């Protein structure tokens, strides 16, 4: 039993280091004037969606008559704004929601890689993702939903690969449900 706990705790430690490294490298984007930099029109829509969720208390399946990349970022933004007791959704709330999605995406990709290749490969990949390719280093937090959704699908897929014949139907159901939900997001 002790042999099983060591690699798991090493992976947890590596995941924690990866998340902390991600935050440490990007902390300037959470303080002024960094929090105001790098926004585009998509983020304005996310902010408006978040404010509508915050004001109305309901989840809009369609915003302005169209499905606008799903409401994952706006829902998190509205929740952060509500938790901070702010009357409006601020750019900081939107930035923090994007950061949380990045971290959840890192952990999902890491969990899937751990299932397929083991802890060292998983932690190494999470550290590289934390340091990041070019689009992670900029101020624009655009691909946060794609990283998170892709990571969750990868994790469910890696669980399917490792499943046995008796658990395969259940894993297929989970993958199908996650795929539908994440496709909407």
């Amino acid at each position: 039993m002790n042999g099983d706990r060591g690699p798991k705790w090493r992976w947890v430690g590596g995941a924690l280091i990866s998340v902390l490294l991600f935050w440490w490298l990007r902390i300037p984007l959470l303080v002024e004037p960094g929090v105001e930099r790098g926004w585009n029109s998509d983020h304005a829509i996310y902010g408006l969606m978040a404010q509508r969720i915050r004001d109305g208390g309901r989840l809009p399946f369609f915003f302005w008559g169209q499905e606008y990349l799903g409401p994952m970022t706006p829902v998190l933004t509205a929740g952060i704004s509500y938790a901070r007791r702010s009357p409006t959704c601020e750019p900081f709330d939107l930035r923090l929601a994007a950061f949380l999605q990045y971290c959840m995406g890192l952990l999902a990709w890491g969990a899937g890689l751990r299932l397929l290749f083991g802890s060292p490969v998983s932690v190494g990949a999470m550290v590289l993702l934390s340091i990041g390719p070019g689009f992670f280093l900029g101020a624009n937090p655009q691909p946060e939903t794609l990283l998170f959704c892709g990571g969750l699908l990868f994790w469910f897929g890696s669980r399917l690969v490792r499943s046995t014949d008796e658990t395969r139907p259940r894993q297929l159901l989970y993958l199908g449900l996650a795929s539908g939900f994440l496709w909407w997001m």
Side-chain angles (χ1 to χ4, degrees):
M1 184 158 185
N2 287 341
D4 292 336
R5 294 179 85 178
K8 179 180 179 181
W9 285 109
R10 280 194 292 268
W11 184 83
V12 169
L16 181 63
I17 288 170
S18 299
V19 167
L20 290 174
L21 178 64
F22 176 85
W23 281 81
W24 180 71
L25 289 173
R26 288 155 188 85
I27 202 74
L29 296 175
L30 290 177
V31 295
E32 296 294 340
V35 77
E36 300 292 338
R37 289 189 7 229
W39 300 109
N40 61 31
S41 61
D42 288 344
H43 295 102
I45 300 291
Y46 290 162
L48 290 171
M49 288 174 73
Q51 190 63 45
R52 185 174 190 190
I53 292 167
R54 176 126 169 54
D55 292 344
R58 62 187 224 287
L59 182 67
F61 279 87
F62 296 98
F63 190 72
W64 289 347
Q66 66 177 345
E67 181 273 316
Y68 199 84
L69 298 177
M72 185 178 294
T73 302
V75 166
L76 286 173
T77 302
I80 290 167
S81 172
Y82 183 77
R84 290 186 342 110
R85 300 181 196 272
S86 175
T88 60
C89 293
E90 302 290 331
F92 173 80
D93 303 329
L94 189 59
R95 183 80 74 193
L96 190 57
F99 275 37
L100 291 175
Q101 285 183 77
Y102 274 119
C103 292
M104 291 185 300
L106 283 171
L107 294 175
W109 279 100
L113 288 169
R114 181 175 179 259
L115 284 173
L116 294 178
F117 302 108
S119 292
V121 170
S122 170
V123 169
M126 285 190 303
V127 167
L128 288 176
L129 280 173
S130 295
I131 296 167
F135 65 86
F136 280 174
L137 297 177
N140 188 355
Q142 185 72 21
E144 69 273 359
T145 302
L146 297 177
L147 177 73
F148 176 59
C149 292
L152 276 182
L153 288 179
F154 179 74
W155 178 62
F156 278 116
S158 62
R159 289 180 53 146
L160 181 64
V161 168
R162 301 210 13 122
S163 65
T164 60
D165 287 337
E166 60 268 1
T167 61
R168 189 168 302 274
R170 186 175 62 219
Q171 296 300 332
L172 281 169
L173 175 66
Y174 294 158
L175 180 62
L177 290 172
S179 297
F181 177 73
L182 298 174
W183 175 72
W184 175 59
M185 285 295 167

